[in-house]
Amino acid sequence: MFFNSNKKVESHIDGFSHLGEGASFEGEIHSKGELEVAGKVKGNISAKTLKILETGKVTGHVNAERVEILGCMLGNTSSLNIHVGEKGVVRGDLRFEINLSVAEGADVLGHVQKAKKDKNKKVDNEKVRYLEHNQRAS
Amino acid sequence: MPSVILNDTILKGNFVEKDSVSINGAFVGDIKAEEIIIKDHGNVNGNLNAGTNIEVNGEVVGDLSADRIHLTNFAKVRGKLFHKNLSVEEGAQLEITAQTRKRISNLNKE
């Protein structure tokens, strides 16, 4: 309990929202910052950073820039970076753009896919322009 | 550990918490908890149902029921209140009907 109270003070300073262990929420969550889930959430979550703690359970789709799954995640996750902890349980697809890390002992069932970055498309556009320019020149 | 919803977060749905909840963001839906604190930037559209205590420092549209309800000077509240103890600070903007009840906790268990 002592550590928990310390964490609480930290959370205020660092500035992230927290859904406690005794919490259960049904519905949508939109966060522009960091969100920590220690309770149960049913519904879709969009956040900058989402951390599902060991006691946390999320049922729904997640869209974020960084996702840490230390608890239970049922549903599809799409994010730039995904980390699954050693006690993490995932039932659903993981779609990431930059980095995926799965700790030893994690339980994952679902498709894992590295999505193409938007940057690649931009490069393609530049190539096309370059080729067109060459054609005109010739 | 209590739940904390910050300024940058919007929740839509029903929230049940065994511990306390402090809300500084936007919330659409009903909240049921042991203690509910709505902070300065908190904006709630829905019913609040607390076991012990509700403190409002932000905006609430909906019904509030708790043993103790405290409305501070920045509070904006519209709705019905059910309470044992009600305290209102100078400056609170209210559009409410208030009812004192002997037993609020029974209401919450339903």
Side-chain angles (χ1 to χ4, degrees):
Chain A
M1 276 308 287
F2 181 70
F3 282 103
N4 281 349
S5 61
N6 264 358
K7 249 189 188 174
K8 188 195 160 194
V9 174
E10 257 178 38
S11 75
H12 281 288
I13 297 165
D14 291 347
F16 52 82
S17 302
H18 178 91
L19 294 184
E21 220 172 298
S24 69
F25 178 79
E26 262 181 57
E28 276 175 56
I29 302 178
H30 299 279
S31 178
K32 285 174 190 161
E34 207 174 331
L35 177 69
E36 244 185 29
V37 178
K40 287 178 186 170
V41 176
K42 254 187 200 176
N44 302 341
I45 301 176
S46 74
K48 196 173 178 200
T49 306
L50 174 70
K51 200 170 176 181
I52 303 170
L53 300 182
E54 284 185 21
T55 53
K57 184 180 177 183
V58 174
T59 312
H61 299 310
V62 167
N63 211 322
E65 281 180 26
R66 181 175 170 75
V67 179
E68 272 181 59
I69 303 169
L70 310 176
C72 187
M73 171 72 213
L74 309 174
N76 299 345
T77 310
S78 82
S79 171
L80 298 181
N81 297 292
I82 300 177
H83 172 75
V84 184
E86 55 185 3
K87 286 179 185 169
V89 177
V90 179
R91 296 284 178 274
D93 300 350
L94 296 176
R95 191 185 153 90
F96 64 102
E97 279 182 28
I98 300 170
N99 232 323
L100 170 72
S101 63
V102 180
E104 200 180 325
D107 180 357
V108 179
L109 188 75
H111 287 283
V112 177
Q113 186 185 14
K114 181 165 184 177
K116 280 175 191 168
K117 289 178 201 167
D118 290 336
K119 275 182 191 171
N120 289 344
K121 285 178 190 168
K122 278 177 197 168
V123 170
D124 285 346
N125 284 339
E126 275 167 21
K127 259 189 191 170
V128 169
R129 265 181 222 154
Y130 176 72
L131 290 172
E132 278 176 356
H133 183 75
N134 274 3
Q135 271 184 352
R136 273 178 212 161
S138 63
Chain B
M1 193 175 161
S3 295
V4 183
I5 308 298
L6 293 184
N7 211 354
D8 53 15
T9 304
I10 302 168
L11 288 94
K12 289 176 194 164
N14 284 325
F15 193 24
V16 181
E17 161 75 284
K18 286 169 193 160
D19 209 336
S20 85
V21 180
S22 110
I23 292 181
N24 205 6
F27 193 104
V28 182
D30 299 346
I31 304 174
K32 204 169 175 182
E34 189 59 27
E35 187 188 22
I36 302 173
I37 300 168
I38 312 295
K39 304 229 169 156
D40 315 20
H41 300 285
N43 192 325
V44 177
N45 210 323
N47 302 331
L48 306 184
N49 201 322
T52 54
N53 200 11
I54 294 179
E55 190 181 314
V56 180
N57 211 347
E59 277 186 55
V60 178
V61 179
D63 299 349
L64 286 70
S65 77
D67 276 357
R68 287 166 42 103
I69 297 179
H70 183 68
L71 309 175
T72 67
N73 44 2
F74 295 113
K76 277 187 184 177
V77 180
R78 187 194 289 174
K80 291 176 193 162
L81 308 188
F82 304 98
H83 53 86
K84 262 193 208 169
N85 289 300
L86 172 67
S87 60
V88 181
E89 279 181 23
E90 194 179 332
Q93 297 177 35
L94 308 174
E95 210 173 297
I96 58 171
T97 60
Q99 273 185 41
T100 309
R101 298 230 172 139
K102 280 181 185 171
R103 283 180 191 170
I104 298 292
S105 47
N106 284 358
L107 246 175
N108 294 340
K109 278 171 192 166
E110 277 168 16

